[in-house]
Amino acid sequence: MIKRKANLTEQEMLAIARAFAWYPNPSASFDGFQDEQMIERYLLLTTSVMKTYCEIYSLDERAYMMISNESSMTPILQYFRLLWGMLWIVGPARVYRQIERGTEAGICQEVELRKKKIPFIHIELLAVRSEHWGKHLMSEMIAFAKAEARRRGCVCILETDERVKRDKYLHLGFALRRTRTLREGVAIYDMIYDPKQ
Protein backbone atom coordinates (compact mmCIF):
# COMPACT_ATOMS: atom_id res chain seq x y z
CA MET A 1 0.00 0.00 0.00
CA ILE A 2 1.31 3.44 -0.96
CA LYS A 3 1.57 5.82 2.00
CA ARG A 4 2.82 9.34 2.48
CA LYS A 5 5.96 9.58 4.60
CA ALA A 6 7.07 12.49 6.74
CA ASN A 7 10.74 11.85 6.04
CA LEU A 8 13.31 9.36 4.79
CA THR A 9 15.84 7.56 6.98
CA GLU A 10 19.52 7.37 6.05
CA GLN A 11 19.01 3.68 5.26
CA GLU A 12 16.12 4.48 2.89
CA MET A 13 18.12 7.21 1.16
CA LEU A 14 21.01 4.79 0.72
CA ALA A 15 18.65 2.19 -0.79
CA ILE A 16 17.39 4.84 -3.25
CA ALA A 17 20.95 5.87 -4.14
CA ARG A 18 21.97 2.25 -4.71
CA ALA A 19 18.92 1.63 -6.91
CA PHE A 20 20.14 4.36 -9.25
CA ALA A 21 23.83 3.51 -8.99
CA TRP A 22 23.36 -0.15 -9.84
CA TYR A 23 20.53 0.22 -12.38
CA PRO A 24 21.48 -1.92 -15.43
CA ASN A 25 20.61 0.75 -18.03
CA PRO A 26 23.18 3.54 -17.82
CA SER A 27 21.86 7.04 -17.29
CA ALA A 28 23.37 9.93 -19.23
CA SER A 29 23.07 11.95 -16.02
CA PHE A 30 25.96 9.94 -14.61
CA ASP A 31 28.15 9.99 -17.71
CA GLY A 32 31.71 10.59 -16.60
CA PHE A 33 31.14 9.54 -12.99
CA GLN A 34 34.09 7.43 -11.87
CA ASP A 35 32.15 4.59 -10.26
CA GLU A 36 28.93 3.51 -8.54
CA GLN A 37 30.11 4.93 -5.22
CA MET A 38 30.30 8.40 -6.76
CA ILE A 39 26.74 7.99 -8.07
CA GLU A 40 25.62 6.87 -4.60
CA ARG A 41 27.17 9.96 -2.96
CA TYR A 42 25.56 12.21 -5.58
CA LEU A 43 22.14 10.59 -5.06
CA LEU A 44 22.40 10.74 -1.27
CA LEU A 45 23.03 14.48 -1.60
CA THR A 46 20.21 15.18 -4.06
CA THR A 47 17.72 13.01 -2.15
CA SER A 48 18.55 14.74 1.14
CA VAL A 49 17.85 18.10 -0.54
CA MET A 50 14.67 16.98 -2.34
CA LYS A 51 13.14 15.66 0.87
CA THR A 52 13.07 19.25 2.19
CA TYR A 53 10.54 20.39 -0.43
CA CYS A 54 8.96 17.25 -1.93
CA GLU A 55 6.10 15.05 -0.81
CA ILE A 56 7.46 11.56 -0.11
CA TYR A 57 5.53 8.37 -0.82
CA SER A 58 6.50 4.77 -0.13
CA LEU A 59 5.15 1.45 -1.32
CA ASP A 60 5.73 -0.80 1.70
CA GLU A 61 9.36 0.43 1.91
CA ARG A 62 10.05 -1.34 -1.42
CA ALA A 63 9.66 1.70 -3.69
CA TYR A 64 9.82 5.46 -3.16
CA MET A 65 8.54 8.48 -5.01
CA MET A 66 9.17 12.16 -4.40
CA ILE A 67 6.87 14.70 -6.01
CA SER A 68 6.79 18.47 -6.07
CA ASN A 69 4.15 20.85 -7.38
CA GLU A 70 3.79 24.38 -8.70
CA SER A 71 4.28 25.88 -5.23
CA SER A 72 7.31 23.78 -4.24
CA MET A 73 10.62 25.59 -4.07
CA THR A 74 14.09 24.46 -3.07
CA PRO A 75 14.96 26.34 0.14
CA ILE A 76 17.84 28.72 -0.64
CA LEU A 77 20.19 27.19 1.94
CA GLN A 78 19.49 23.72 0.54
CA TYR A 79 20.18 25.01 -2.97
CA PHE A 80 23.64 26.21 -1.88
CA ARG A 81 24.19 22.94 0.00
CA LEU A 82 23.38 21.06 -3.22
CA LEU A 83 25.73 23.19 -5.28
CA TRP A 84 28.57 22.88 -2.75
CA GLY A 85 28.03 19.12 -2.47
CA MET A 86 28.05 18.69 -6.25
CA LEU A 87 31.30 20.66 -6.50
CA TRP A 88 32.81 18.38 -3.84
CA ILE A 89 31.56 15.11 -5.37
CA VAL A 90 32.00 15.63 -9.12
CA GLY A 91 34.26 18.67 -9.35
CA PRO A 92 33.86 22.19 -10.72
CA ALA A 93 34.45 21.25 -14.38
CA ARG A 94 31.64 18.70 -14.43
CA VAL A 95 29.22 21.01 -12.58
CA TYR A 96 29.99 23.76 -15.12
CA ARG A 97 29.41 21.33 -18.04
CA GLN A 98 26.08 20.19 -16.53
CA ILE A 99 24.89 23.77 -16.16
CA GLU A 100 26.09 24.67 -19.66
CA ARG A 101 24.41 21.65 -21.28
CA GLY A 102 21.21 22.23 -19.34
CA THR A 103 21.10 25.80 -20.60
CA GLU A 104 21.72 24.71 -24.18
CA ALA A 105 18.97 22.07 -23.98
CA GLY A 106 16.35 24.70 -23.28
CA ILE A 107 13.87 25.49 -20.58
CA CYS A 108 12.37 22.55 -18.70
CA GLN A 109 8.63 21.91 -18.66
CA GLU A 110 8.41 22.62 -14.92
CA VAL A 111 9.56 26.21 -15.51
CA GLU A 112 7.22 26.58 -18.50
CA LEU A 113 4.22 25.42 -16.48
CA ARG A 114 5.12 27.76 -13.60
CA LYS A 115 5.32 30.71 -16.00
CA LYS A 116 1.91 29.84 -17.46
CA LYS A 117 0.52 29.31 -13.93
CA ILE A 118 -0.61 25.78 -14.82
CA PRO A 119 -0.94 23.47 -11.79
CA PHE A 120 1.12 20.29 -11.91
CA ILE A 121 2.72 17.53 -9.93
CA HIS A 122 6.28 16.67 -10.84
CA ILE A 123 7.72 13.23 -10.20
CA GLU A 124 11.20 14.30 -9.12
CA LEU A 125 12.35 10.82 -8.14
CA LEU A 126 11.02 7.30 -8.51
CA ALA A 127 13.13 4.45 -7.16
CA VAL A 128 12.50 0.77 -6.55
CA ARG A 129 14.85 -1.05 -4.19
CA SER A 130 17.07 -3.28 -6.31
CA GLU A 131 15.90 -6.48 -4.59
CA HIS A 132 12.35 -5.72 -5.83
CA TRP A 133 13.12 -4.96 -9.48
CA GLY A 134 10.87 -6.75 -11.96
CA LYS A 135 7.83 -6.85 -9.65
CA HIS A 136 5.84 -4.06 -11.38
CA LEU A 137 6.29 -1.66 -8.45
CA MET A 138 7.17 1.20 -10.81
CA SER A 139 3.81 0.67 -12.49
CA GLU A 140 2.03 0.90 -9.12
CA MET A 141 3.81 4.12 -8.23
CA ILE A 142 3.02 5.66 -11.63
CA ALA A 143 -0.64 4.62 -11.30
CA PHE A 144 -0.71 6.36 -7.92
CA ALA A 145 0.83 9.55 -9.36
CA LYS A 146 -1.69 9.58 -12.21
CA ALA A 147 -4.56 9.12 -9.75
CA GLU A 148 -3.15 11.97 -7.67
CA ALA A 149 -3.07 14.20 -10.78
CA ARG A 150 -6.72 13.33 -11.49
CA ARG A 151 -7.65 14.03 -7.87
CA ARG A 152 -5.89 17.40 -7.89
CA GLY A 153 -7.14 18.26 -11.39
CA CYS A 154 -3.67 18.88 -12.80
CA VAL A 155 -1.07 17.41 -15.12
CA CYS A 156 1.71 15.09 -13.97
CA ILE A 157 5.18 15.59 -15.41
CA LEU A 158 8.54 13.89 -15.24
CA GLU A 159 11.83 13.82 -17.14
CA THR A 160 14.17 11.00 -18.01
CA ASP A 161 17.33 10.71 -20.05
CA GLU A 162 16.96 6.96 -20.59
CA ARG A 163 15.17 5.54 -23.63
CA VAL A 164 14.22 2.39 -21.72
CA LYS A 165 12.45 4.44 -19.04
CA ARG A 166 10.93 6.76 -21.66
CA ASP A 167 9.37 3.73 -23.34
CA LYS A 168 8.07 2.42 -19.99
CA TYR A 169 6.44 5.78 -19.23
CA LEU A 170 4.84 5.82 -22.69
CA HIS A 171 3.48 2.34 -22.01
CA LEU A 172 2.13 3.53 -18.63
CA GLY A 173 0.06 6.35 -20.15
CA PHE A 174 2.44 9.29 -20.37
CA ALA A 175 2.96 11.21 -23.60
CA LEU A 176 6.28 12.47 -24.89
CA ARG A 177 5.89 16.23 -24.76
CA ARG A 178 9.32 17.15 -26.07
CA THR A 179 12.85 15.86 -26.54
CA ARG A 180 15.63 18.24 -25.48
CA THR A 181 19.11 17.45 -26.81
CA LEU A 182 21.96 17.77 -24.33
CA ARG A 183 24.64 16.61 -26.75
CA GLU A 184 24.94 14.14 -29.57
CA GLY A 185 23.30 10.89 -28.53
CA VAL A 186 22.05 12.26 -25.19
CA ALA A 187 18.59 13.73 -24.69
CA ILE A 188 16.13 14.60 -21.96
CA TYR A 189 12.62 13.30 -22.57
CA ASP A 190 9.93 15.56 -21.13
CA MET A 191 6.95 13.34 -20.31
CA ILE A 192 3.43 14.44 -19.38
CA TYR A 193 0.20 12.84 -18.24
CA ASP A 194 -2.87 14.99 -18.71
CA PRO A 195 -6.00 13.47 -17.13
CA LYS A 196 -8.17 15.61 -19.43
CA GLN A 197 -6.86 13.90 -22.56
Side-chain angles (χ1 to χ4, degrees):
M1 179 178 207
I2 297 173
K3 295 180 182 176
R4 180 141 181 210
K5 292 181 65 72
N7 206 343
L8 289 169
T9 66
E10 284 292 323
Q11 185 179 10
E12 288 171 321
M13 288 193 299
L14 185 58
I16 289 169
R18 288 182 174 156
F20 280 95
W22 300 96
Y23 189 67
N25 299 304
S27 169
S29 298
F30 308 129
D31 181 40
F33 279 51
Q34 294 173 352
D35 53 30
E36 287 82 5
Q37 286 75 28
M38 183 181 271
I39 296 171
E40 283 182 18
R41 288 196 310 274
Y42 177 79
L43 262 296
L44 281 170
L45 171 67
T46 55
T47 304
S48 69
V49 170
M50 282 190 288
K51 73 180 187 173
T52 65
Y53 67 92
C54 287
E55 297 171 24
I56 305 166
Y57 295 91
S58 172
L59 176 58
D60 300 326
E61 314 305 325
R62 297 176 294 159
Y64 302 90
M65 181 168 57
M66 299 174 87
I67 63 172
S68 62
N69 59 48
E70 69 279 358
S71 62
S72 302
M73 296 298 286
T74 308
I76 191 72
L77 292 176
Q78 291 296 325
Y79 180 80
F80 285 116
R81 178 176 164 245
L82 178 64
L83 183 59
W84 178 255
M86 288 174 62
L87 288 167
W88 181 259
I89 293 167
V90 301
R94 178 158 176 79
V95 170
Y96 177 78
R97 279 196 311 274
Q98 282 182 313
I99 293 169
E100 189 176 49
R101 287 178 182 156
T103 302
E104 290 171 0
I107 204 162
C108 67
Q109 60 184 342
E110 177 181 356
V111 170
E112 288 180 346
L113 292 172
R114 283 183 197 276
K115 285 183 177 180
K116 294 177 182 176
K117 300 193 184 320
I118 297 173
F120 64 87
I121 60 172
H122 181 193
I123 301 174
E124 301 257 2
L125 177 142
L126 176 56
V128 176
R129 284 183 183 254
S130 55
E131 61 268 28
H132 298 291
W133 287 346
K135 298 179 182 175
H136 307 286
L137 302 183
M138 178 182 170
S139 301
E140 287 186 56
M141 298 299 275
I142 290 293
F144 175 83
K146 288 166 58 179
E148 192 65 14
R150 288 190 299 273
R151 186 183 72 77
R152 297 184 190 194
C154 67
V155 296
C156 179
I157 61 171
L158 60 86
E159 297 83 30
T160 185
D161 60 8
E162 295 178 35
R163 289 182 184 165
V164 171
K165 286 185 179 177
R166 175 202 62 190
D167 293 344
K168 284 182 183 178
Y169 294 131
L170 288 169
H171 177 73
L172 294 171
F174 277 74
L176 178 61
R177 183 168 178 256
R178 178 181 58 202
T179 301
R180 293 182 285 137
T181 303
L182 286 176
R183 63 182 188 278
E184 189 175 331
V186 179
I188 296 175
Y189 304 103
D190 290 335
M191 314 294 294
I192 189 166
Y193 168 72
D194 188 346
K196 295 175 186 163
Q197 294 181 347

